[in-house]
């Protein structure tokens, strides 16, 4: 029997709060998705002005980061022609995202969920995802 | 040019709050989705214990109610063999839901979004969706 | 070698014009799709106020009527439990529509396209689809 | 509550008219899609001779340009191996197009819809999309 640790809704809200505060700071309204360790959605918010395409993209980034236990920008680095991983962005019906902005959420070295941001540049999305994780880790202590 | 009114994130949070309070009252953890008038997600929460299938079903109910401007239980009533609408539950890639629990959200007679609940019986889902709308209307005043 | 006859864009515009005039007469803004004999879109109009879900449903009705060479309400009549055709509404990824409102367009006894309407009741959708065909046949003479 | 501005059908017809006149000028029959600000189809025309694949591609380009508020050729520029956005062409079920020919339609600095062209070279598609916007802006005055 396996014992799994998984973000609860309160955890997800902390992640979204930290990410959205950073998004407000940089002036980019975002779509923010938090998923559990299996990649299924726990919470989502589209800030007023977030892009419609980003509703799905944010979820796909979070899904990828959690369910593959890897940041989407790490997949991005490997997703270049000639690399044996090239083409992975089309997997899982295109849900596997190789666009920066999806990060796994770890507790005690274990992936318990993922966070995905979309609407800014990939770097902005990554920064806000990290801000969500920073806030989550700070508030949990 | 058309002028459209659409729920903002603060509105969506009110809808989720009202629905989740009702869900707690009846002891059924729910997935709760709120979409804009075109059916795109604005906010989502899975209460701890909400079903994994309901992550999608709640979104599909909210999508249907908003984008078709009709409660999913109204589609349910028409979706019987022999009725000219029968089979509509498979439309839009199966996203058109005819399961009770999706309600359009109206302001001044105009559909501005939708709310969809899933994890309980359809009647429980409908009651919680209505509780979300009741709370939203009360708090907006 | 096969020789196929297919609606051109001018034909499609006539079909849409006739259907939309009827829709205006009955006061129901519609989504109107016209496809070729293979079910691929030739022209589409969403009248102001047409439903968002109907964007896809109208296309699926037209697709079904043309590509299966059968009105969607005829499929509806057969799509009842116990009938050997039951369940056909989920075929072709759910694109096969059994909801009234899709009609094949025939010229000299040959299916050259299809028209699909959505946003009203199935009967309203059927009436407007027929009005489109009537207008098309009248103008071609 | 948010207030959104959206193309109406008359606006969409202007965009298609301008684009198709340009397409006729250069001798390339096109598929032309116009969507609202959320990416849902408002009007579509396949000129006689337009490609069947382009029925979907034109819609995806228009969807992307409107719902992501960015021209598809701008996504194209970022969608190169090594760029953090690489792989984005597979997002949203593959509907996010990075092929030139999709442009957002702006009124008073706000995205109110999108236009997508397909059947020519990407540059021809872009030129015709721009011609649609030019004609729309000229006729609205």
């Amino acid at each position: 029997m396996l014992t799994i640790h998984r973000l609860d809704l309160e955890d997800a809200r902390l992640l979204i709060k930290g990410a959205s505060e950073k998004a407000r700071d940089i002036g980019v309204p975002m779509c923010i998705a938090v998923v559990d360790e299996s990649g299924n959605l726990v919470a989502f918010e589209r800030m007023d002005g977030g892009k419609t395409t980003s509703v799905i993209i944010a979820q796909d980034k979070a899904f990828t980061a959690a369910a593959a236990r890897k940041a989407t920008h790490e997949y991005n680095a490997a997703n270049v022609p000639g690399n044996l991983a090239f083409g992975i962005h089309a997997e899982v019906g295109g849900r596997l995202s190789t666009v920066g902005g999806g990060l796994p959420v770890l507790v005690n070295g274990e992936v318990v969920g993922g966070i995905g941001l979309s609407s800014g540049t990939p770097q902005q999305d990554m920064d806000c995802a990290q801000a969500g994780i920073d806030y989550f880790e700070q508030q949990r202590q």
Side-chain angles (χ1 to χ4, degrees), chain A:
Chain A
M1 199 63 47
L2 303 176
T3 299
I4 304 291
H5 295 100
R6 172 179 289 176
L7 291 173
D8 63 19
L9 178 54
E10 207 47 60
D11 296 325
R13 283 176 176 158
L14 291 175
L15 285 155
I16 288 179
K17 184 148 188 279
S20 63
E21 279 175 6
K22 176 73 174 176
R24 255 189 303 276
D25 285 351
I26 64 171
V28 181
M30 294 271 187
C31 291
I32 309 168
V34 175
V35 301
D36 66 23
E37 93 299 333
S38 295
N40 295 305
L41 197 62
V42 177
F44 173 91
E45 287 197 353
R46 174 166 31 139
M47 298 168 68
D48 297 339
K51 295 180 180 181
T52 300
T53 43
S54 294
V55 169
I56 304 297
I57 297 173
Q59 294 184 60
D60 286 352
K61 288 180 181 178
F63 162 78
T64 300
R69 300 195 287 264
K70 195 190 282 282
T72 55
H73 67 266
E74 294 181 281
Y75 271 121
N76 182 274
N79 191 29
V80 289
N83 186 305
L84 277 167
F86 178 63
I88 200 163
H89 59 290
E91 295 280 359
V92 199
R95 291 181 65 203
L96 197 147
S97 176
T98 64
V99 179
L103 296 178
V105 179
L106 285 93
V107 170
N108 301 325
E110 194 184 346
V111 174
V112 295
I115 181 169
L117 275 280
S118 181
S119 281
T121 65
Q123 188 63 54
Q124 289 173 325
D125 297 346
M126 289 162 68
D127 292 346
C128 291
Q130 186 59 53
I133 289 176
D134 292 345
Y135 183 78
F136 166 68
E137 291 182 342
Q138 173 191 1
Q139 294 295 311
R140 287 190 71 243
Q141 286 162 1

